[in-house]
Amino acid sequence: MSALLPQEIEPPTPEAEKLTRRMVLPILPQLMAYLADLRAQLDEELQPNFPVNPAKPYPLGRCEEITRAALIVLARRLRRPAHSVEHALASFQRQGGRIRSIWGALRGTYFQNALQIGSLYADVANDTVVITKPKVEILPITDCGLVPIRDIDHFIEIAGKYWGAEIFPNLVVPDLAPLFPMISRIPGQSARLQMGCDYMIDLFRRDAFRGPEAFLAAAAPPPPDLAEELRGLCPDTLQTVTSDTAALDLGRDRAVAACRRAREGGAARDEAWRDRMVMDMLSIRRL
């Protein structure tokens, strides 16, 4: 694994700052207009794909989907640039400039996906938490307020503020605990394991599962009803633990042991093991 996690903010080097000032800042008004047009096109394509929810109308909560779609379209266009902004960004890339997706905690309040263009933060889904905000925002990456998730405690803090989530240790499916050490209770969602994004997976792998192990060893167990709900969503192929106190104590021992076994067996660098764990996690139904 590289030192930089998937979607982790890349601290701008002096060279990146200089290249951004020279090649991107001069077209900033045009870039804003271009990204606004791109967002309008994406809205036409994406909005029909999501169920109508008067309590949470599109685009609320859709920053990941919008940002991912924007990066896909932008990457395709930059391979064969036609617009003046596309030519400028393609030239920026040829000279070493980087355009990539980033994710983290924004201003200590919620999770957010965005683009990093050199030393700039470019949010094409700026209205997905507060719908009255402008759809696009561009700021220096150092001033944007987006920071990497540091550890499980940081994740739990933001999940509580943004999702209204309660987070408990995964003592129910202990074999998956090294990568998915948390069970969430979120209003309007079924019980689920957290967190399935590449960033969190590699964060846990980078510290050889010590963070998950410490959380699993010490955190209060999930309520019995939440544990049973998760068990009911799991396929027969996954070994689960029942919700009685003795079984959850055993689940804690097994989850901690799974972290230690993964660390000692070198699972942090085993991509096949990672992929199997992700597929098992994805086999759990979501309602």
Side-chain angles (χ1 to χ4, degrees):
M1 291 179 292
S2 66
L4 200 65
L5 297 173
Q7 290 192 286
E8 185 175 1
I9 295 170
E10 187 170 22
T13 62
E15 293 78 12
E17 294 268 14
K18 182 178 179 181
L19 190 63
T20 304
R21 285 196 303 269
R22 181 166 62 86
M23 302 195 69
V24 183
L25 290 187
I27 64 159
L28 197 56
Q30 297 94 323
L31 178 60
M32 282 285 295
Y34 178 88
L35 292 178
D37 287 344
L38 175 58
R39 171 62 193 278
Q41 295 170 31
L42 292 174
D43 284 344
E44 290 185 7
E45 298 173 9
L46 293 175
Q47 186 167 0
N49 297 331
F50 299 114
V52 176
N53 182 354
K56 196 173 184 180
Y58 179 92
L60 291 180
R62 300 299 179 182
C63 66
E64 179 183 0
E65 294 89 343
I66 292 169
T67 305
R68 181 171 59 242
L71 186 61
I72 290 170
V73 172
L74 188 60
R76 184 177 69 240
R77 290 180 180 179
L78 294 189
R79 287 194 290 269
R80 300 184 66 178
H83 189 283
S84 60
V85 168
E86 295 166 7
H87 281 289
L89 292 179
S91 178
F92 171 71
Q93 286 184 314
R94 286 195 297 272
Q95 297 193 42
R98 285 166 57 81
I99 301 173
R100 54 193 297 273
S101 173
I102 53 176
W103 175 81
L106 187 61
R107 303 177 187 118
T109 306
Y110 49 87
F111 300 116
Q112 185 73 357
N113 293 264
L115 303 179
Q116 182 172 355
I117 302 175
S119 62
L120 296 177
Y121 166 91
D123 188 354
V124 294
N126 190 51
D127 58 339
T128 55
V129 175
V130 179
I131 204 166
T132 55
K133 283 187 174 184
K135 293 179 181 294
V136 176
E137 180 178 59
I138 300 178
L139 294 169
I141 199 76
T142 53
D143 298 340
C144 69
L146 188 73
V147 299
I149 297 296
R150 299 183 299 272
D151 49 32
I152 287 181
D153 288 342
H154 192 197
F155 176 88
I156 291 173
E157 174 192 349
I158 303 302
K161 292 178 179 179
Y162 184 30
W163 296 336
E166 296 178 88
I167 303 292
F168 302 93
N170 173 19
L171 314 182
V172 178
V173 197
D175 290 346
L176 300 187
L179 290 189
F180 308 105
M182 297 174 279
I183 302 173
S184 64
R185 170 177 274 163
I186 299 172
Q189 292 185 3
S190 57
R192 61 188 57 182
L193 297 184
Q194 296 288 353
M195 170 59 170
C197 72
D198 289 340
Y199 178 97
M200 294 299 294
I201 288 172
D202 276 8
L203 178 66
F204 297 150
R205 297 168 75 199
R206 185 167 69 180
D207 84 338
F209 317 108
R210 291 181 177 87
E213 180 183 345
F215 174 71
L216 291 159
D225 64 318
L226 185 65
E228 282 304 309
E229 181 184 351
L230 181 60
R231 287 188 72 235
L233 297 170
C234 291
D236 293 340
T237 52
L238 294 182
Q239 294 186 7
T240 60
V241 170
T242 59
S243 59
D244 62 272
T245 301
L248 289 177
D249 285 345
L250 177 61
R252 189 187 300 276
D253 292 342
R254 287 177 54 190
V256 168
C259 292
R260 293 174 179 168
R261 188 166 59 249
R263 179 167 57 251
E264 292 165 2
R269 296 188 177 276
D270 187 338
E271 297 299 326
W273 175 86
R274 173 206 180 277
D275 292 346
R276 288 195 301 272
M277 294 278 280
V278 170
M279 292 305 296
D280 283 344
M281 184 273 293
L282 292 174
S283 73
I284 300 172
R285 291 184 296 133
R286 292 189 172 193
L287 302 177

mmCIF file with all atom_site columns, all heavy atoms in Angstrom, residues 252-263:
data_model
loop_
_atom_site.group_PDB
_atom_site.id
_atom_site.type_symbol
_atom_site.label_atom_id
_atom_site.label_alt_id
_atom_site.label_comp_id
_atom_site.label_asym_id
_atom_site.label_entity_id
_atom_site.label_seq_id
_atom_site.pdbx_PDB_ins_code
_atom_site.Cartn_x
_atom_site.Cartn_y
_atom_site.Cartn_z
_atom_site.occupancy
_atom_site.B_iso_or_equiv
_atom_site.pdbx_formal_charge
_atom_site.auth_seq_id
_atom_site.auth_comp_id
_atom_site.auth_asym_id
_atom_site.auth_atom_id
_atom_site.pdbx_PDB_model_num
ATOM 1  N N   . ARG A 1 252 ? -16.566 -11.107 21.223 1.00 0.00 ? 252 ARG A N   1
ATOM 2  C CA  . ARG A 1 252 ? -15.498 -10.135 21.444 1.00 0.00 ? 252 ARG A CA  1
ATOM 3  C C   . ARG A 1 252 ? -14.132 -10.820 21.392 1.00 0.00 ? 252 ARG A C   1
ATOM 4  O O   . ARG A 1 252 ? -13.203 -10.328 20.740 1.00 0.00 ? 252 ARG A O   1
ATOM 5  C CB  . ARG A 1 252 ? -15.693 -9.442  22.794 1.00 0.00 ? 252 ARG A CB  1
ATOM 6  C CG  . ARG A 1 252 ? -14.744 -8.262  23.004 1.00 0.00 ? 252 ARG A CG  1
ATOM 7  C CD  . ARG A 1 252 ? -14.830 -7.687  24.412 1.00 0.00 ? 252 ARG A CD  1
ATOM 8  N NE  . ARG A 1 252 ? -16.148 -7.188  24.753 1.00 0.00 ? 252 ARG A NE  1
ATOM 9  C CZ  . ARG A 1 252 ? -16.613 -5.977  24.444 1.00 0.00 ? 252 ARG A CZ  1
ATOM 10 N NH1 . ARG A 1 252 ? -15.873 -5.146  23.742 1.00 0.00 ? 252 ARG A NH1 1
ATOM 11 N NH2 . ARG A 1 252 ? -17.824 -5.603  24.848 1.00 0.00 ? 252 ARG A NH2 1
ATOM 12 N N   . ASP A 1 253 ? -14.026 -11.956 22.066 1.00 0.00 ? 253 ASP A N   1
ATOM 13 C CA  . ASP A 1 253 ? -12.757 -12.693 22.053 1.00 0.00 ? 253 ASP A CA  1
ATOM 14 C C   . ASP A 1 253 ? -12.378 -13.084 20.622 1.00 0.00 ? 253 ASP A C   1
ATOM 15 O O   . ASP A 1 253 ? -11.218 -12.969 20.222 1.00 0.00 ? 253 ASP A O   1
ATOM 16 C CB  . ASP A 1 253 ? -12.862 -13.938 22.926 1.00 0.00 ? 253 ASP A CB  1
ATOM 17 C CG  . ASP A 1 253 ? -12.983 -13.624 24.408 1.00 0.00 ? 253 ASP A CG  1
ATOM 18 O OD1 . ASP A 1 253 ? -12.647 -12.489 24.806 1.00 0.00 ? 253 ASP A OD1 1
ATOM 19 O OD2 . ASP A 1 253 ? -13.416 -14.523 25.171 1.00 0.00 ? 253 ASP A OD2 1
ATOM 20 N N   . ARG A 1 254 ? -13.367 -13.551 19.872 1.00 0.00 ? 254 ARG A N   1
ATOM 21 C CA  . ARG A 1 254 ? -13.096 -13.976 18.494 1.00 0.00 ? 254 ARG A CA  1
ATOM 22 C C   . ARG A 1 254 ? -12.725 -12.796 17.602 1.00 0.00 ? 254 ARG A C   1
ATOM 23 O O   . ARG A 1 254 ? -11.847 -12.913 16.727 1.00 0.00 ? 254 ARG A O   1
ATOM 24 C CB  . ARG A 1 254 ? -14.315 -14.703 17.925 1.00 0.00 ? 254 ARG A CB  1
ATOM 25 C CG  . ARG A 1 254 ? -14.520 -16.101 18.490 1.00 0.00 ? 254 ARG A CG  1
ATOM 26 C CD  . ARG A 1 254 ? -15.780 -16.738 17.934 1.00 0.00 ? 254 ARG A CD  1
ATOM 27 N NE  . ARG A 1 254 ? -15.804 -16.733 16.485 1.00 0.00 ? 254 ARG A NE  1
ATOM 28 C CZ  . ARG A 1 254 ? -16.869 -17.063 15.748 1.00 0.00 ? 254 ARG A CZ  1
ATOM 29 N NH1 . ARG A 1 254 ? -18.001 -17.427 16.355 1.00 0.00 ? 254 ARG A NH1 1
ATOM 30 N NH2 . ARG A 1 254 ? -16.813 -17.039 14.434 1.00 0.00 ? 254 ARG A NH2 1
ATOM 31 N N   . ALA A 1 255 ? -13.385 -11.650 17.798 1.00 0.00 ? 255 ALA A N   1
ATOM 32 C CA  . ALA A 1 255 ? -13.086 -10.473 16.981 1.00 0.00 ? 255 ALA A CA  1
ATOM 33 C C   . ALA A 1 255 ? -11.671 -9.965  17.258 1.00 0.00 ? 255 ALA A C   1
ATOM 34 O O   . ALA A 1 255 ? -10.912 -9.640  16.333 1.00 0.00 ? 255 ALA A O   1
ATOM 35 C CB  . ALA A 1 255 ? -14.116 -9.379  17.254 1.00 0.00 ? 255 ALA A CB  1
ATOM 36 N N   . VAL A 1 256 ? -11.304 -9.906  18.535 1.00 0.00 ? 256 VAL A N   1
ATOM 37 C CA  . VAL A 1 256 ? -9.945  -9.477  18.894 1.00 0.00 ? 256 VAL A CA  1
ATOM 38 C C   . VAL A 1 256 ? -8.920  -10.463 18.347 1.00 0.00 ? 256 VAL A C   1
ATOM 39 O O   . VAL A 1 256 ? -7.878  -10.070 17.794 1.00 0.00 ? 256 VAL A O   1
ATOM 40 C CB  . VAL A 1 256 ? -9.824  -9.335  20.425 1.00 0.00 ? 256 VAL A CB  1
ATOM 41 C CG1 . VAL A 1 256 ? -8.364  -9.170  20.841 1.00 0.00 ? 256 VAL A CG1 1
ATOM 42 C CG2 . VAL A 1 256 ? -10.658 -8.148  20.918 1.00 0.00 ? 256 VAL A CG2 1
ATOM 43 N N   . ALA A 1 257 ? -9.223  -11.748 18.479 1.00 0.00 ? 257 ALA A N   1
ATOM 44 C CA  . ALA A 1 257 ? -8.305  -12.772 17.965 1.00 0.00 ? 257 ALA A CA  1
ATOM 45 C C   . ALA A 1 257 ? -8.167  -12.670 16.449 1.00 0.00 ? 257 ALA A C   1
ATOM 46 O O   . ALA A 1 257 ? -7.072  -12.894 15.899 1.00 0.00 ? 257 ALA A O   1
ATOM 47 C CB  . ALA A 1 257 ? -8.790  -14.159 18.366 1.00 0.00 ? 257 ALA A CB  1
ATOM 48 N N   . ALA A 1 258 ? -9.266  -12.318 15.752 1.00 0.00 ? 258 ALA A N   1
ATOM 49 C CA  . ALA A 1 258 ? -9.210  -12.181 14.292 1.00 0.00 ? 258 ALA A CA  1
ATOM 50 C C   . ALA A 1 258 ? -8.268  -11.047 13.896 1.00 0.00 ? 258 ALA A C   1
ATOM 51 O O   . ALA A 1 258 ? -7.529  -11.166 12.910 1.00 0.00 ? 258 ALA A O   1
ATOM 52 C CB  . ALA A 1 258 ? -10.609 -11.936 13.739 1.00 0.00 ? 258 ALA A CB  1
ATOM 53 N N   . CYS A 1 259 ? -8.273  -9.949  14.656 1.00 0.00 ? 259 CYS A N   1
ATOM 54 C CA  . CYS A 1 259 ? -7.352  -8.843  14.372 1.00 0.00 ? 259 CYS A CA  1
ATOM 55 C C   . CYS A 1 259 ? -5.902  -9.272  14.569 1.00 0.00 ? 259 CYS A C   1
ATOM 56 O O   . CYS A 1 259 ? -5.031  -8.967  13.741 1.00 0.00 ? 259 CYS A O   1
ATOM 57 C CB  . CYS A 1 259 ? -7.680  -7.648  15.261 1.00 0.00 ? 259 CYS A CB  1
ATOM 58 S SG  . CYS A 1 259 ? -9.260  -6.849  14.914 1.00 0.00 ? 259 CYS A SG  1
ATOM 59 N N   . ARG A 1 260 ? -5.659  -9.975  15.649 1.00 0.00 ? 260 ARG A N   1
ATOM 60 C CA  . ARG A 1 260 ? -4.288  -10.418 15.918 1.00 0.00 ? 260 ARG A CA  1
ATOM 61 C C   . ARG A 1 260 ? -3.825  -11.428 14.873 1.00 0.00 ? 260 ARG A C   1
ATOM 62 O O   . ARG A 1 260 ? -2.678  -11.382 14.410 1.00 0.00 ? 260 ARG A O   1
ATOM 63 C CB  . ARG A 1 260 ? -4.221  -11.023 17.320 1.00 0.00 ? 260 ARG A CB  1
ATOM 64 C CG  . ARG A 1 260 ? -4.440  -9.991  18.418 1.00 0.00 ? 260 ARG A CG  1
ATOM 65 C CD  . ARG A 1 260 ? -4.525  -10.623 19.791 1.00 0.00 ? 260 ARG A CD  1
ATOM 66 N NE  . ARG A 1 260 ? -4.713  -9.600  20.829 1.00 0.00 ? 260 ARG A NE  1
ATOM 67 C CZ  . ARG A 1 260 ? -5.036  -9.859  22.077 1.00 0.00 ? 260 ARG A CZ  1
ATOM 68 N NH1 . ARG A 1 260 ? -5.178  -11.113 22.487 1.00 0.00 ? 260 ARG A NH1 1
ATOM 69 N NH2 . ARG A 1 260 ? -5.200  -8.876  22.944 1.00 0.00 ? 260 ARG A NH2 1
ATOM 70 N N   . ARG A 1 261 ? -4.729  -12.323 14.510 1.00 0.00 ? 261 ARG A N   1
ATOM 71 C CA  . ARG A 1 261 ? -4.388  -13.326 13.498 1.00 0.00 ? 261 ARG A CA  1
ATOM 72 C C   . ARG A 1 261 ? -4.099  -12.666 12.149 1.00 0.00 ? 261 ARG A C   1
ATOM 73 O O   . ARG A 1 261 ? -3.150  -13.058 11.440 1.00 0.00 ? 261 ARG A O   1
ATOM 74 C CB  . ARG A 1 261 ? -5.545  -14.313 13.378 1.00 0.00 ? 261 ARG A CB  1
ATOM 75 C CG  . ARG A 1 261 ? -5.261  -15.528 12.495 1.00 0.00 ? 261 ARG A CG  1
ATOM 76 C CD  . ARG A 1 261 ? -6.306  -16.606 12.715 1.00 0.00 ? 261 ARG A CD  1
ATOM 77 N NE  . ARG A 1 261 ? -7.662  -16.132 12.431 1.00 0.00 ? 261 ARG A NE  1
ATOM 78 C CZ  . ARG A 1 261 ? -8.611  -15.952 13.358 1.00 0.00 ? 261 ARG A CZ  1
ATOM 79 N NH1 . ARG A 1 261 ? -8.356  -16.185 14.639 1.00 0.00 ? 261 ARG A NH1 1
ATOM 80 N NH2 . ARG A 1 261 ? -9.813  -15.532 13.018 1.00 0.00 ? 261 ARG A NH2 1
ATOM 81 N N   . ALA A 1 262 ? -4.901  -11.663 11.797 1.00 0.00 ? 262 ALA A N   1
ATOM 82 C CA  . ALA A 1 262 ? -4.678  -10.956 10.542 1.00 0.00 ? 262 ALA A CA  1
ATOM 83 C C   . ALA A 1 262 ? -3.334  -10.229 10.556 1.00 0.00 ? 262 ALA A C   1
ATOM 84 O O   . ALA A 1 262 ? -2.595  -10.235 9.563  1.00 0.00 ? 262 ALA A O   1
ATOM 85 C CB  . ALA A 1 262 ? -5.822  -9.967  10.300 1.00 0.00 ? 262 ALA A CB  1
ATOM 86 N N   . ARG A 1 263 ? -3.007  -9.624  11.684 1.00 0.00 ? 263 ARG A N   1
ATOM 87 C CA  . ARG A 1 263 ? -1.732  -8.916  11.785 1.00 0.00 ? 263 ARG A CA  1
ATOM 88 C C   . ARG A 1 263 ? -0.560  -9.879  11.693 1.00 0.00 ? 263 ARG A C   1
ATOM 89 O O   . ARG A 1 263 ? 0.388   -9.651  10.925 1.00 0.00 ? 263 ARG A O   1
ATOM 90 C CB  . ARG A 1 263 ? -1.680  -8.130  13.100 1.00 0.00 ? 263 ARG A CB  1
ATOM 91 C CG  . ARG A 1 263 ? -0.369  -7.380  13.300 1.00 0.00 ? 263 ARG A CG  1
ATOM 92 C CD  . ARG A 1 263 ? -0.455  -6.368  14.438 1.00 0.00 ? 263 ARG A CD  1
ATOM 93 N NE  . ARG A 1 263 ? -0.834  -6.957  15.711 1.00 0.00 ? 263 ARG A NE  1
ATOM 94 C CZ  . ARG A 1 263 ? -2.015  -6.782  16.295 1.00 0.00 ? 263 ARG A CZ  1
ATOM 95 N NH1 . ARG A 1 263 ? -2.964  -6.077  15.709 1.00 0.00 ? 263 ARG A NH1 1
ATOM 96 N NH2 . ARG A 1 263 ? -2.277  -7.331  17.469 1.00 0.00 ? 263 ARG A NH2 1
#
